Amino acid sequence: MSAIKARKQGNSIMITIPSSFGVKEGEEFFFIKKENGSITLIPKIKDHFEGVADGEYYMPELDAGYAPSEGELDEMDS
């Protein structure tokens, strides 16, 4: 395990990632800071459902007979 030191660059605090981790330049991440102070980086992946046909992943045995209405899902983001 290596130790790194956070440094200031402009108005941001930067932490470098060693090249041995294999992170490519321009790769994007989501990050979460947990209550104990640890920081988790989660790679941002492409949309797995891009370009699929309607119903391609439909599984009738899992259909609960419920469909969201109007802006119901939008309320979950707030």
Side-chain angles (χ1 to χ4, degrees):
M1 181 185 313
S2 300
I4 57 172
K5 185 182 275 190
R7 60 185 170 82
K8 186 169 177 109
Q9 183 172 335
N11 291 327
S12 298
I13 300 295
M14 308 296 289
I15 299 175
T16 57
I17 300 174
S19 59
S20 61
F21 281 41
V23 175
K24 295 179 177 68
E25 184 176 350
E27 193 171 345
E28 294 184 84
F29 294 86
F30 296 104
F31 62 92
I32 300 169
K33 184 172 182 182
K34 298 186 178 183
E35 288 180 20
N36 67 1
S38 65
I39 298 171
T40 302
L41 298 173
I42 303 167
K44 185 176 179 181
I45 57 174
K46 70 177 192 99
D47 183 356
H48 291 294
F49 299 104
E50 182 180 344
V52 298
D54 280 346
E56 186 170 346
Y57 290 106
Y58 176 65
M59 299 174 71
E61 65 276 12
L62 298 179
D63 187 358
Y66 174 79
S69 61
E70 298 177 13
E72 187 175 24
L73 293 178
D74 295 334
E75 294 170 11
M76 294 177 66
D77 291 336
S78 47

